[in-house]
Amino acid sequence: DAGITQSPRHKVTETGTPVTLRCHQTENHRYMYWYRQDPGHGLRLIHYSYGVKDTDKGEVSDGYSVSRSKTEDFLLTLESATSSQTSVYFCAISETGARSDTQYFGPGTRLTVL
Amino acid sequence: AQSVTQLGSHVSVSEGALVLLRCNYSSSVPPYLFWYVQYPNQGLQLLLKYTTGATLVKGINGFEAEFKKSETSFHLTKPSAHMSDAAEYFCAVRTNQAGTALIFGKGTTLSVSS
């Protein structure tokens, strides 16, 4: 298994509070991704990173920001959580970002916004 | 742009029966296709992938998929279902944008009865 951990694994928070989710990898892969999984939607890309301090938006980036100050850590922040952000969040890593390259997924974080 | 359609959100089979999960894709560039499996409360695990070369791809746990360009399909099959195959299955295509993130189908839940 690829060395990917996510923290916390479960979180319940209230509307309007800030939330930060952490993805940590031990593989030294260059590319990291944040996806959210919702019933009937599959997984959708929020943000991705192609190196330290290099990030860009995905399909559903509104309301989210990211940071990557070290190769191994990729943080996802909800500045002011809303109920529509209740979801399961997955981090993924990819060694080179080539289209043939496999993406490996972390165990996920289940976030509930009340 | 790329997209994926999984036909059937839920498939039920008997143990020992053929498993067939359908996936059609749309891609303006040669597609790179993936099947992932997700067991309850876990992350996604790669089953198999097609990049180039042989169109019949073999994966883990006895699964295989055939890339058919003329039909824009990448259906997943297994000759004989096992109870442990019960899970959710996602077909995905690798983009040539957004850090080559994956575009996922909505998923198919496979149930296996004894």
Side-chain angles (χ1 to χ4, degrees):
Chain A
D1 288 346
I4 310 169
T5 56
Q6 294 184 232
S7 59
R9 293 293 314 280
H10 301 271
K11 186 171 182 66
V12 179
T13 191
E14 294 192 350
T15 298
T17 59
V19 176
T20 295
L21 309 182
R22 180 184 185 233
C23 176
H24 179 78
Q25 60 144 331
T26 59
E27 307 296 324
N28 201 36
H29 283 3
R30 180 181 173 193
Y31 280 72
M32 299 184 75
Y33 307 82
W34 278 108
Y35 292 88
R36 60 178 288 174
Q37 182 180 29
D38 303 291
H41 285 92
L43 282 79
R44 293 176 292 174
L45 180 70
I46 305 172
H47 281 280
Y48 68 96
S49 170
Y50 48 98
V52 174
K53 299 191 188 305
D54 293 323
T55 65
D56 208 343
K57 297 178 179 180
E59 176 188 359
V60 291
S61 60
D62 287 350
Y64 301 95
S65 62
V66 291
S67 64
R68 191 169 177 199
S69 59
K70 298 184 291 185
T71 298
E72 58 266 36
D73 290 326
F74 191 33
L75 303 181
L76 177 71
T77 298
L78 291 66
E79 301 290 348
S80 178
T82 67
S83 58
S84 65
Q85 294 176 310
T86 292
S87 187
V88 181
Y89 292 85
F90 287 98
C91 173
I93 65 173
S94 177
E95 185 172 10
T96 66
R99 292 180 67 220
S100 59
D101 202 14
T102 297
Q103 282 191 19
Y104 298 96
F105 285 79
T109 294
R110 184 173 296 274
L111 176 67
T112 302
V113 183
L114 302 176
Chain B
Q2 291 97 347
S3 66
V4 171
T5 301
Q6 290 184 241
L7 301 175
S9 59
H10 201 127
V11 171
S12 298
V13 300
S14 299
E15 195 171 22
L18 171 72
V19 175
L20 170 61
L21 304 182
R22 300 178 186 271
C23 172
N24 289 89
Y25 70 89
S26 172
S27 180
S28 56
V29 296
Y32 287 62
L33 297 159
F34 301 76
W35 275 101
Y36 284 85
V37 60
Q38 184 180 32
Y39 299 102
N41 299 313
Q42 294 187 26
L44 279 72
Q45 179 182 5
L46 180 70
L47 276 177
L48 50 80
K49 68 179 181 181
Y50 168 78
T51 55
T52 58
T55 56
L56 182 62
V57 181
K58 296 187 184 298
I60 61 172
N61 301 338
F63 284 94
E64 62 182 36
E66 186 171 11
F67 170 64
K68 292 187 176 181
K69 183 178 179 180
S70 61
E71 299 178 8
T72 61
S73 68
F74 191 55
H75 301 331
L76 182 70
T77 61
K78 182 174 180 177
S80 177
H82 192 272
M83 297 291 287
S84 61
D85 294 326
E88 190 161 20
Y89 292 80
F90 292 95
C91 181
V93 63
R94 198 75 182 262
T95 70
N96 58 344
Q97 305 162 13
T100 69
L102 290 162
I103 298 291
F104 285 88
K106 295 182 178 181
T108 298
T109 299
L110 175 66
S111 300
V112 183
S113 58
S114 57

